[in-house]
Amino acid sequence: MRIDALDLYWIKMSMVGEFVTSFGAVQERDIILVRARAGDASGWGESGVDGVPLYSYEDAATCWHIIEDFIAPAILDRDWPDEGIGAAMAQHFSAWRWHPMARAAVEEALWDLEANLRNTSLRRLYAGGRESRERIPVGISLGIQDDFGLLGAQISEALEQGYQRIKLKIEPGKDVGVIEKVRGQFGDIPLMVDGNCGYSREQGGILRDLDPFGLLMIEQPLAHDDIPGHAELQARLETPICLDESIHSLRHARLALDYDACRLINIKASRIGGRSEAIAIHDLCAERGVPVWCGGMLESGIGRLHNIAMASLPNFQMPGDLSASRRYWHEDIIDPEVTVAGDGKVDVPDAVGLGHRVREEAIQRLVLRSASYSRG
Ligand code: OSB
Ligand code: MG
């Protein structure tokens, strides 16, 4: 099969509230959307890029450049299999170095295109014939909040809304004291923290001081390129370490597990270069008895629906960072938006493709730049 065209949209969406991590505050998101078209069918994907190169070295401009100058010409230039096009793309680009968020966005669009062409749901396509769940548990990720009264109110609200696990962002100086207060006020709720690479090896003692609080996990406390440091730290911690920023490929995942650098992995397809590689990490972890969960990049509804479909696979054992649309956006770009039921679960759509309509009229209103590349 041939891809007729790839459409790119650079949109800006402003968030309901500011989101603060050890990298800084985010109030607006620059998002690159990709639409792949073949005949009358199309499919949508989203890149997880940030406005600033902190979580990842990629930003919206590098993502645009890599897709425009390299990926689009390569995609439009060749024949693709009718089935397994996402995996075929991953294979074709496997020798290309880095730029995972650019590759992931295009690969997602191809998976959705295939789902639409084959009249099946993304959930079934990602599951590839395996069991997948109809509803999945979700958690919420709350940014650093200097005012404990406000943080407490956000936690209460999230618990009332049913979220099955609370993740708090931490940084040096805003960690042990905050967790102590949260445990004091909320007792034994399912709680975890995310350091976003904010701690040095020398600050490992602070992380050990978190051990008595029975956290589900500590996510990525040390530098992104310090797998051995995480191994050393894990050996001295009771609390499981979960890696996020350190894992960009199946090879990284294998390395981290071989070194016992973590007991869990946060899977984000955008960080890993696509859904095929993400699912391969899911499968490796399943073989090794290591649970995974689906992380988020403050996605719009398009990336969120891809995440939800993927997270229906069986080894996504812990609640994901897959909150409701309204936790992030005044108005999402899908209809209906994603909602979380009172039991803290979201439905995994089983309708064709994404299972929700993409609101192209909203995308047109939010767009900063668009381009279309067609077969020559
Ligand atoms: O480290 O998991 C992270 C958001 C942006 C960048 C990195 C991270 C996050 C989150 C929010 O924690 C997850 C979400 O709700 O999308
Ligand atoms: Mg993280």
Side-chain angles (χ1 to χ4, degrees):
M1 135 173 143
R2 305 292 300 225
I3 307 295
D4 295 325
L6 284 185
D7 306 322
L8 280 189
Y9 300 88
W10 179 333
I11 62 171
K12 205 183 248 312
M13 290 176 78
S14 52
M15 298 191 66
V16 169
E18 194 177 57
F19 189 76
V20 183
T21 71
S22 63
F23 295 133
V26 180
Q27 180 75 65
E28 293 185 313
R29 298 265 302 129
D30 282 85
I31 291 173
I32 305 287
L33 299 174
V34 181
R35 177 169 52 189
R37 289 189 274 135
D40 293 336
S42 64
W44 286 92
E46 172 173 343
S47 89
V49 287
D50 250 337
V52 281
L54 284 167
Y55 173 86
S56 145
Y57 70 88
E58 289 179 275
D59 73 357
T62 67
C63 180
W64 189 282
H65 151 61
I66 292 294
I67 296 176
E68 172 174 62
D69 292 325
F70 298 107
I71 300 178
I75 294 275
L76 295 169
D77 187 47
R78 55 197 308 276
D79 243 321
W80 296 94
D82 290 339
E83 297 197 0
I85 178 168
M89 175 184 160
Q91 174 65 32
H92 181 71
F93 289 93
S94 61
W96 290 39
R97 195 162 306 175
W98 296 99
H99 296 286
M101 292 181 174
R103 282 187 284 136
V106 179
E107 199 201 291
E108 270 185 6
L110 297 184
W111 281 93
D112 184 32
L113 174 67
E114 176 172 337
N116 282 305
L117 284 167
R118 289 171 58 189
N119 227 10
T120 188
S121 61
L122 266 182
R123 174 186 147 202
R124 284 177 198 272
L125 211 56
Y126 286 143
R130 287 178 281 179
E131 283 295 308
S132 64
R133 288 163 298 165
E134 288 169 27
R135 302 185 74 232
I136 52 171
V138 298
I140 192 167
S141 171
L142 298 176
I144 294 169
Q145 180 59 259
D146 288 334
D147 178 339
F148 187 77
L150 287 179
L151 181 66
Q154 286 176 354
I155 296 173
S156 299
E157 191 187 357
L159 294 171
E160 271 161 33
Q161 289 168 346
Y163 286 104
Q164 295 200 16
R165 157 299 254 153
I166 306 286
K167 160 167 145 183
L168 299 180
K169 296 289 187 176
I170 56 168
E171 65 182 3
K174 295 174 187 168
D175 37 44
V176 182
V178 178
I179 299 305
E180 194 171 12
K181 280 196 205 161
V182 172
R183 279 287 186 235
Q185 184 170 336
F186 295 96
D188 197 22
I189 56 169
L191 187 65
M192 61 173 285
V193 294
D194 186 353
N196 283 114
C197 311
Y199 293 80
S200 66
R201 283 192 186 195
E202 292 67 36
Q203 289 170 316
I206 304 175
L207 301 159
R208 280 207 306 282
D209 289 344
L210 289 171
D211 261 343
F213 297 104
L215 299 174
L216 295 169
M217 68 192 90
I218 300 176
E219 183 177 341
Q220 193 75 40
L222 308 181
H224 69 99
D225 54 359
D226 197 7
I227 288 179
H230 283 98
E232 212 174 79
L233 181 64
Q234 181 68 85
R236 294 186 294 145
L237 277 183
E238 302 264 331
T239 312
I241 290 178
C242 170
L243 289 178
D244 175 354
E245 284 91 329
S246 290
I247 308 296
H248 294 279
S249 67
L250 181 62
R251 288 188 296 277
H252 284 145
R254 201 175 280 127
L255 183 72
L257 298 182
D258 287 350
Y259 275 88
D260 198 14
C262 63
R263 307 264 153 89
L264 298 139
I265 290 181
N266 164 332
I267 293 191
K268 294 180 187 171
S270 53
R271 188 194 69 227
I272 292 165
R275 300 287 161 182
S276 303
E277 190 83 354
I279 293 169
I281 294 178
H282 163 276
D283 294 349
L284 169 77
C285 290
E287 264 169 43
R288 304 260 188 119
V290 172
V292 300
W293 56 279
C294 182
M297 288 300 293
L298 310 172
E299 284 92 349
S300 81
I302 292 177
R304 188 165 309 282
L305 288 170
H306 277 281
N307 282 341
I308 289 169
M310 179 185 73
S312 70
L313 285 166
N315 195 38
F316 282 91
Q317 290 188 38
M318 318 275 289
D321 280 343
L322 299 166
S323 309
S325 298
R326 66 165 202 186
R327 183 254 176 285
Y328 311 90
W329 316 114
H330 295 290
E331 189 193 359
D332 205 342
I333 56 172
I334 51 164
D335 181 31
E337 56 177 38
V338 171
T339 53
V340 173
D343 63 355
K345 291 188 172 179
V346 290
D347 292 334
V348 185
D350 199 21
V352 175
L354 289 171
H356 294 223
R357 187 178 72 85
V358 172
R359 297 179 58 227
E360 288 179 40
E361 68 285 4
I363 293 173
Q364 291 303 341
R365 255 188 288 121
L366 299 167
V367 75
L368 298 180
R369 183 175 174 188
S370 65
S372 192
Y373 310 97
S374 359
R375 198 138 57 83

